[in-house]
Amino acid sequence: MLRRAVNPRSDEFMSAYVDAGRWYKAEIAIIMFGAVGGLYVFERLLFEDPAPMVNSWPSVMIGFGLANALRLASCFRWAVPTWSTALFITSVYIDVVWLMVIRAVAVNDGHDVLPIIVPVAFLASLLIVHIRYVILVPAMLAGFAMIAGIELFAVPSSGPGLFDLMTSGAIIVVPLISARFHEQQTRLTWERERRLDELSMTDALTGLANRRAFDARIAAALAEDSPVALAVLDVDDFKVLNDALGHAAGDDTLRTIGRFLTGSITDERVFAARLSGEEFAVVWSGSGRSGVIEDAERLRSGIGALELPSGRADAGVTMSAGVVWFAPPTSDEPGRSPSPTATGGDRTSFESRLGSTR
């Protein structure tokens, strides 16, 4: 029942970072949709002699349909961060190649030339949609390689053309470096906020969840349609222990109990908290009653076997505990909040003398 929890993923920040970029992807998708749409709608205003590909039906389907469909798909929550990034990069590549092909056809057929800055601007959209830097760099280099390859092999070489190509490369390098600093700064801010949040939800003495975290976690557990069990453990005569052995020994005792609970409870559905001075709580979500009693007994016997740092071999510590079950709402009462069951069989309490502190 007390299973080992899955360790947090090492790329937790990156997943959050990429996921936060969905809004940026949506904004860029709208802008690029408008830019491509404007190319079709206002072609006669933009060009005196536009290339035929600008308004051909296959061109519309590729540049205006497929690319934007992929971009929009990358914004939805069902797309995990990895696929969201891949879809957006693919959509940008489609537009970059499509725009460069239009540019090459226009040059070779004598039509107005689409400026190279347009596909470069589409490629630069990758810089602001929260793509991991280790993916962003090769993605940008590959995209620029496509632009340079089509420009060098499909467009007649000229001094101004080569200058425009080199200038475009320089334009990409500077924001690419800035993207690295942005990611690092975002990571520092994220880690700082996470640390502050952890501190605000952690008991400083024992390292367990504090009362604020307990209230939030148990409220979330009770909101689920599953049974919840709560055990409250209280160190008996803790004031006597403090008076006899000193507050330092009392604090050491609480720390030892906290470390034991932290190491023993590794199931993500089970958590422990320190409610007040010598009062602890353990909450099970979605566990059967027999399993809860078994776990509670395991915790009780484990605490009884601890070497509690009281400083005196003849000092003993007793702990009382009670377990109560919260039933989920019934099907005919969907709006009712869970509440403790009142029958005697639904409430179990036990007391046990723990091992002497040594």
Side-chain angles (χ1 to χ4, degrees):
M1 184 64 64
L2 298 179
R3 301 191 303 270
R4 182 173 299 277
V6 178
N7 290 329
R9 294 172 56 183
S10 60
D11 60 347
E12 181 181 355
F13 162 73
M14 285 304 176
S15 294
Y17 180 73
V18 174
D19 192 62
R22 293 182 191 274
W23 284 111
Y24 298 104
K25 290 184 177 72
E27 293 172 358
I28 292 298
I30 294 173
I31 293 173
M32 296 172 79
F33 185 85
V36 176
L39 183 62
Y40 290 114
V41 176
F42 302 107
E43 56 177 292
R44 293 297 176 182
L45 297 177
L46 297 173
F47 306 101
E48 293 182 1
D49 185 18
M53 284 190 64
V54 171
N55 57 6
S56 67
W57 179 246
S59 177
V60 172
M61 290 300 297
I62 294 174
F64 198 58
L66 178 59
N68 281 285
L70 293 178
R71 265 193 293 275
L72 291 176
S74 71
C75 303
F76 292 115
R77 283 284 176 183
W78 59 262
V80 295
T82 301
W83 283 106
S84 175
T85 298
L87 288 172
F88 193 87
I89 292 175
T90 302
S91 72
V92 170
Y93 281 176
I94 291 174
D95 272 334
V96 166
V97 172
W98 168 72
L99 290 169
M100 287 302 298
V101 169
I102 290 179
R103 173 178 168 81
V105 170
V107 170
N108 292 315
D109 290 348
H111 300 285
D112 287 353
V113 178
L114 186 73
I116 195 173
I117 194 64
V118 175
V120 171
F122 272 66
L123 180 64
S125 67
L126 297 178
L127 296 168
I128 54 177
V129 293
H130 282 204
I131 296 176
R132 297 178 58 179
Y133 195 73
V134 294
I135 298 176
L136 178 63
V137 172
M140 291 293 295
L141 293 178
F144 188 73
M146 288 189 293
I147 293 176
I150 297 175
E151 180 73 11
L152 295 175
F153 291 101
V155 178
S157 299
S158 65
L162 293 177
F163 178 78
D164 289 344
L165 186 61
M166 290 186 293
T167 303
S168 300
I171 291 174
I172 289 177
V173 169
V174 175
L176 186 60
I177 296 174
S178 299
R180 174 60 172 171
F181 290 110
H182 173 70
E183 180 182 306
Q184 291 176 336
Q185 187 62 38
T186 304
R187 177 191 288 273
L188 291 175
T189 302
W190 181 83
E191 290 178 347
R192 186 182 302 114
E193 291 177 351
R194 183 181 181 187
R195 179 57 179 163
L196 289 174
D197 186 64
E198 289 176 351
L199 290 175
S200 70
M201 305 288 276
T202 303
D203 177 63
L205 180 63
T206 63
L208 297 173
N210 59 14
R211 181 58 182 265
R212 178 186 176 192
F214 168 80
D215 290 341
R217 289 287 300 272
I218 198 169
L222 292 175
E224 299 177 357
D225 189 18
S226 60
V228 176
L230 166 65
V232 178
L233 302 90
D234 186 84
V235 179
D236 296 327
D237 299 322
F238 188 70
K239 184 178 184 302
V240 176
L241 174 67
N242 272 337
D243 293 342
L245 304 177
H247 290 281
D251 288 347
D252 286 342
T253 298
L254 296 177
R255 272 192 290 264
T256 301
I257 295 174
R259 284 194 297 267
F260 171 78
L261 292 175
T262 299
S264 300
I265 300 175
T266 52
D267 190 335
E268 291 182 341
R269 299 174 302 171
V270 184
F271 71 93
R274 181 189 178 200
L275 301 183
S276 61
E278 70 275 17
E279 190 176 44
F280 298 86
V282 181
V283 177
W284 291 260
S285 179
S287 301
R289 298 188 182 187
S290 59
V292 169
I293 293 297
E294 179 183 343
D295 287 349
E297 177 61 23
R298 188 179 307 166
L299 294 176
R300 183 205 65 79
S301 60
I303 293 176
L306 291 176
E307 292 288 336
L308 299 177
S310 66
R312 282 174 46 182
D314 60 341
V317 176
T318 61
M319 177 169 281
S320 300
V323 181
V324 62
W325 280 268
F326 296 81
T330 59
S331 58
D332 58 339
E333 296 177 308
R336 180 183 174 186
S337 299
S339 59
T341 53
T343 61
D346 290 330
R347 183 179 179 91
T348 302
S349 62
F350 57 88
E351 294 184 3
S352 176
R353 179 174 178 80
L354 305 182
S356 299
T357 56
R358 302 186 186 279

